[in-house]
Amino acid sequence: MEVKDPIEMMKQEFNNYIVPKGWEAKIESLEDWNKFYQETVKDKESISRYWESWAEQIFWFKKWEKVLDDSNPPFYRWFVGGQTNLAYLCTDWQLQKGRKNKVAIIWEGEPVDEKGEPKEVRKLTYYDLWRESNRIAYFLKNRLGVKKGEVVTLYLPMVPELPLYMLALQRIGAGHSVVFSGFSAEALAIRAIDAGARIIITADGVWRRGKILNLKAIVDEAVKLCEKEGHKIEKVVVFRRVGNEVSWNPERDVWHHELLAEVPKNVVVECEKMGSDDTSFILYTSGTTGKPKGAQHSVGGYAVYLYATTKMIFDIKDDDIYWCTADIGWITGHSYIVYGPLMHGATEIMYEGALDYPDPSRWAAMIERYGVTIFYTAPTAIRMLMKYPEEIYLKHDTSTLRIAHSVGEPINPEAWRWYFRVFGKEKTCSSSTWWMTETGGIMTGHYPGRGKILPLKPGTNGPIIPGVTFAIVDDEGNPVPPGKRGYFVITSPWPGHLMTLWKDPKRYIEVYYGKYMHKGWWYYTGDFAMIDHDGWIWVLGRADDVIKVAGHRIGTLEVESAMVKHPAVAEAACVGKSDPIKGEIPLIYVTLKKGYEVSDELRDELRRHLRATIGPVVASDALITFVDALPKTRSGKIMRRLLRAVAEGKPLGDVSTLESEVAVEEAKKAYEIVKAALEKR
Ligand code: PRX
């Protein structure tokens, strides 16, 4: 594929951080960069040596004995024998570096006054983070009996208490499972049961577009659902955020501030010396079955990978103001709001509410208010902002930005250009960083630089990170030529690699290593991608039954199994449909059981059902279409590619490649029926 319109990076020094101490390289051209990259991946020893150079830059209670133990693939162990702690790295270590009084988090609540100024701003220094997480750790351990290795479920909105609880849990060696607060009671219950959590931490409510969302009520419902399944939630800790009325069970519920009030002032809880390959957290993500999977991450490997990628891609310096707009409920927030930036002693922004409240200029106003220099957001958000006249953004000075990346889904060149021009003033280093929940951290992207070293190209994901190898291959695993679509695989382990799937090592091997087992240990990303003539990656979208709705990862099978729980639904099939703003939206075809009639009321009810079973994250964008029958193969498999073709308004195309065992005439008929149903909506 020809690369059109490369844009030179301007006015920025190239950060040579990708060349850690102990490596000789001066990178002044793309050729130098390629040479250096090749050196880091020459062989297994070079890869290990590269990551070891990064490990040497962070704090360890005890140094590792071996960089990588790959004797039992794909259960890789990094920095074996080493001991560290994520909370120590984010707080104690920062105090030792002299950052005690440095602001770590500037938090803005959603509500504004009549002048449009935020009503609530909280600033927490590194000392505040350290002290408050120590106090929380104290009551978690001594009052609630949280033990090392235990997993606690966090269902919290974007308030500083979320990172504080995460740090407190890391401190005492417990794991967290953060569940995005846009998930429903049922989704929360499924995750709490699977994690084996006996404690849920939540808030009374949260502000969302000027309204209060009662989170405690959702947790109450989730606790009931857990009990129905024989799983007891012993304690629900509630942070008072908005002061709304909440129902209360005095035996089970306890206020965060009341627990805190009992803690001695300035208490210090000793930081657990965690083994490098102990578990730091699990985070549920969607796959190709109805059941979400818990990606389980390590302590040492994850810490090193985040330390390295945060430095390389974001180039955070002491006087930067960094802002990642993700929700901490997703991996982007875990890695690039909590652990990566705090490990670097960054000052960062955290925002509670909606990007368009009270109007779409909120983000631009905040960039101006705090002089944000590094910004990290999602293509969906950019496309949503693009809908409005750009004058509303130009009223605010965003010229402080020097880096403005995106993540979560492919970015269309038009959105990239808009972001680069309107927010970035055509001087930012802007890249579409590709990675996944499972990779722990960023795998591709541009490094802030100067000249023609890594020219920006709208839409590309850029080069792979040094010390990581990849390939774009066909079904058999043969490399596809540049410009051709293939499957994206990572062909060597990296430190941020998930350790396994929680309680399901078999599924871990199958999902990520099953497809190319005959080639050795290749991590299958599940993405389609393409390589260009510079060797850069262009991720094109998911190759499996996962869709990206506003950058949120949704399993279509999860949606289907939720739908069929409704008494009216006989069968359901969900596919992604392209959407100019959200990227994709779920299109759900439904057949009804006997005795139920198609109606708008029923459609609304099904949407409410979806909201209750999965949550607003899916329900608010879903398109529900009724059909008399779902097109199926003779062996009973739903013809998804046919459904996708209809969804995209594409012709049916070559039926023989569409699905095996399908008669041409049957498929054509089914196509027309489904198309008509969709048009009738
Ligand atoms: O399809 C890819 C897409 O998001 C998937 C991973 O989703 P999740 O685990 O929720 O993590 C998202 C945030 C790290 C990938 O398999 N994806 C992520 N970033 C990009 C992307 N697709 C294209 N370009 C990106 N920059």
Side-chain angles (χ1 to χ4, degrees):
M1 198 189 57
E2 267 314 298
V3 174
K4 292 196 192 96
D5 195 16
I7 294 172
E8 286 182 19
M9 292 196 207
M10 294 169 291
K11 297 178 191 161
Q12 290 191 48
E13 293 297 320
F14 178 63
N15 83 52
N16 256 302
Y17 301 136
I18 57 164
V19 185
K21 256 196 209 136
W23 290 75
E24 290 292 320
K26 203 162 177 226
I27 299 176
E28 287 173 340
S29 66
L30 196 51
E31 288 69 44
D32 293 344
W33 148 257
N34 280 327
K35 214 169 106 211
F36 174 69
Y37 168 75
Q38 291 304 336
E39 234 177 89
T40 66
V41 296
K42 210 165 48 202
D43 48 29
K44 222 168 82 176
E45 284 66 43
S46 314
I47 293 179
S48 289
R49 191 161 77 81
Y50 185 71
W51 293 114
E52 183 168 36
S53 311
W54 281 102
E56 277 158 2
Q57 299 184 35
I58 68 166
F59 171 86
W60 296 83
F61 293 111
K62 181 167 164 274
K63 201 180 160 171
W64 57 92
E65 281 139 28
K66 194 167 191 229
V67 176
L68 170 64
D69 176 359
D70 59 355
S71 58
N72 181 27
F75 300 91
Y76 302 110
R77 300 169 68 209
W78 285 88
F79 310 110
V80 186
Q83 288 180 339
T84 186
N85 184 303
L86 284 165
Y88 195 92
L89 290 166
C90 293
T91 57
D92 304 61
W93 193 41
Q94 301 309 320
L95 302 194
Q96 287 159 23
K97 283 170 177 270
R99 298 197 172 110
K100 185 173 176 184
N101 297 319
K102 186 178 174 186
V103 174
I105 296 176
I106 304 173
W107 175 85
E108 228 184 76
E110 193 191 69
V112 288
D113 63 17
E114 51 295 335
K115 287 200 208 102
E117 296 293 318
K119 280 190 181 160
E120 296 153 291
V121 175
R122 283 170 69 188
K123 290 189 181 175
L124 287 87
T125 62
Y126 275 91
Y127 186 61
D128 294 331
L129 279 193
W130 176 80
R131 190 186 51 217
E132 293 308 302
S133 57
N134 262 292
R135 298 181 71 205
I136 295 172
Y138 182 89
F139 70 66
L140 285 173
K141 193 171 170 169
N142 299 310
R143 179 68 204 280
L144 304 180
V146 176
K147 299 256 172 340
K148 184 174 176 182
E150 177 173 346
V151 176
V152 173
T153 294
L154 309 183
Y155 187 70
L156 278 164
M158 286 291 283
V159 288
E161 278 61 28
L162 177 48
L164 285 173
Y165 269 94
M166 291 164 83
L167 293 172
L169 287 161
Q170 296 300 334
R171 190 160 197 96
I172 59 177
H176 51 71
S177 162
V178 182
V179 178
F180 173 55
S181 54
F183 277 119
S184 69
E186 188 169 326
L188 171 61
I190 291 171
R191 286 157 178 78
I193 294 169
D194 193 74
R198 58 180 187 93
I199 301 173
I200 298 179
I201 319 281
T202 191
D204 53 356
V206 60
W207 287 103
R208 197 81 198 161
R209 284 206 177 82
K211 291 203 184 94
I212 289 176
L213 222 112
N214 187 337
L215 291 181
K216 172 68 166 51
I218 299 174
V219 174
D220 288 343
E221 180 64 29
V223 172
K224 267 194 226 142
L225 292 169
C226 287
E227 266 160 22
K228 252 202 202 140
E229 299 294 320
H231 179 88
K232 188 167 161 65
I233 299 294
E234 293 168 20
K235 282 277 170 241
V236 174
V237 180
V238 188
F239 169 65
R240 186 182 274 159
R241 158 67 193 117
V242 286
N244 53 329
E245 276 289 312
V246 291
S247 61
W248 205 254
N249 172 346
E251 246 114 81
R252 185 198 64 201
D253 301 341
V254 50
W255 286 109
H256 163 83
H257 59 264
E258 286 179 2
L259 285 168
L260 214 49
E262 292 169 14
V263 177
K265 282 254 150 53
N266 294 328
V267 71
V268 179
V269 177
E270 208 191 329
C271 224
E272 280 290 330
K273 297 187 170 77
M274 300 295 283
S276 179
D277 56 355
D278 280 342
T279 301
S280 56
F281 65 85
I282 55 177
L283 180 57
Y284 286 91
T285 186
S286 295
T288 51
T289 72
K291 189 172 171 268
K293 48 195 187 192
Q296 186 175 336
H297 280 284
S298 70
V299 174
Y302 179 75
V304 169
Y305 198 69
L306 279 181
Y307 187 83
T309 52
T310 303
K311 191 87 183 153
M312 289 188 233
I313 298 286
F314 295 112
D315 180 32
I316 296 181
K317 298 194 171 70
D318 249 334
D319 57 357
D320 272 307
I321 305 285
Y322 169 91
W323 185 12
C324 166
T325 65
D327 191 291
I328 295 177
W330 305 97
I331 191 70
T332 306
H334 280 59
S335 295
Y336 297 106
I337 296 178
V338 184
Y339 298 114
L342 296 180
M343 244 189 272
H344 281 281
T347 297
E348 62 175 329
I349 309 295
M350 196 176 158
Y351 171 53
E352 173 183 43
L355 89 166
D356 54 355
Y357 188 86
D359 65 63
S361 72
R362 179 71 183 255
W363 281 6
M366 286 179 66
I367 292 172
E368 179 180 55
R369 183 146 54 241
Y370 303 107
V372 174
T373 53
I374 306 170
F375 193 61
Y376 195 29
T377 193
T380 293
I382 298 166
R383 289 192 295 259
M384 143 93 184
L385 296 177
M386 279 169 75
K387 282 196 313 191
Y388 300 93
E390 61 190 66
E391 288 69 50
I392 64 169
Y393 310 113
L394 299 178
K395 274 197 322 228
H396 298 282
D397 179 12
T398 60
S399 67
T400 45
L401 292 176
R402 63 183 186 94
I403 295 167
H405 293 315
S406 71
V407 62
E409 51 175 327
I411 186 162
N412 46 316
E414 197 197 349
W416 188 96
R417 285 201 181 84
W418 187 92
Y419 184 39
F420 184 64
R421 184 171 56 77
V422 178
F423 273 56
K425 310 295 174 212
E426 298 190 335
K427 67 179 177 61
T428 47
C429 174
S430 290
S431 190
S432 171
T433 61
W434 175 90
W435 58 294
M436 312 172 65
T437 304
E438 295 87 338
T439 70
I442 293 171
M443 302 291 274
T444 80
H446 283 75
Y447 313 98
R450 183 174 56 177
K452 290 182 183 164
I453 298 169
L454 295 175
L456 303 180
K457 298 176 203 172
T460 180
N461 296 102
I464 195 99
I465 293 279
V468 180
T469 58
F470 76 100
I472 312 280
V473 296
D474 62 17
D475 266 309
E476 280 71 51
N478 305 310
V480 300
K484 285 264 174 317
R485 187 177 91 161
Y487 299 100
F488 187 13
V489 291
I490 312 285
T491 50
S492 57
W494 66 98
H497 197 296
L498 75 164
M499 295 201 296
T500 182
L501 289 178
W502 182 249
K503 292 191 204 148
D504 207 348
K506 210 168 133 249
R507 188 172 172 202
Y508 164 68
I509 301 176
E510 271 164 26
V511 172
Y512 306 106
Y513 288 92
K515 187 168 168 74
Y516 293 107
M517 204 56 110
H518 61 291
K519 294 301 263 188
W521 296 103
W522 283 5
Y523 171 89
Y524 173 55
T525 63
D527 278 330
F528 281 128
M530 189 163 78
I531 195 166
D532 68 19
H533 291 287
D534 284 326
W536 292 11
I537 297 160
W538 297 67
V539 173
L540 306 168
R542 296 292 307 182
D544 56 10
D545 293 327
V546 167
I547 55 175
K548 280 281 171 143
V549 181
H552 297 151
R553 181 165 159 183
I554 309 289
T556 53
L557 264 100
E558 267 173 81
V559 178
E560 291 167 11
S561 51
M563 287 307 283
V564 296
K565 282 185 194 153
H566 189 279
V569 176
E571 283 186 305
C574 175
V575 293
K577 175 173 164 45
S578 311
D579 181 84
I581 290 177
K582 306 271 169 142
E584 277 181 296
I585 52 170
L587 171 56
I588 311 168
Y589 298 97
V590 170
T591 64
L592 294 177
K593 284 191 189 144
K594 276 212 176 85
Y596 289 92
E597 295 279 316
V598 170
S599 69
D600 286 344
E601 291 72 45
L602 183 57
R603 187 180 283 119
D604 289 345
E605 188 183 318
L606 291 180
R607 189 186 301 284
R608 280 196 298 277
H609 167 76
L610 207 51
R611 181 174 283 269
T613 45
I614 300 191
V617 65
V618 174
S620 39
D621 297 312
L623 273 180
I624 299 171
T625 294
F626 296 109
V627 282
D628 293 333
L630 287 172
K632 285 191 189 153
T633 64
R634 299 239 162 84
S635 59
K637 266 177 40 197
I638 293 170
M639 290 152 63
R640 294 178 169 282
R641 286 172 66 186
L642 182 147
L643 291 176
R644 266 185 231 123
V646 176
E648 297 304 348
K650 286 193 184 136
L652 185 54
D654 180 0
V655 185
S656 60
T657 62
L658 192 75
E659 221 94 34
S660 56
E661 317 168 52
V662 178
V664 177
E665 283 316 309
E666 256 174 71
K668 280 189 181 154
K669 218 167 104 194
Y671 177 86
E672 292 307 327
I673 292 173
V674 178
K675 195 167 149 225
L678 188 59
E679 279 162 4
K680 218 170 71 200
R681 273 195 86 256

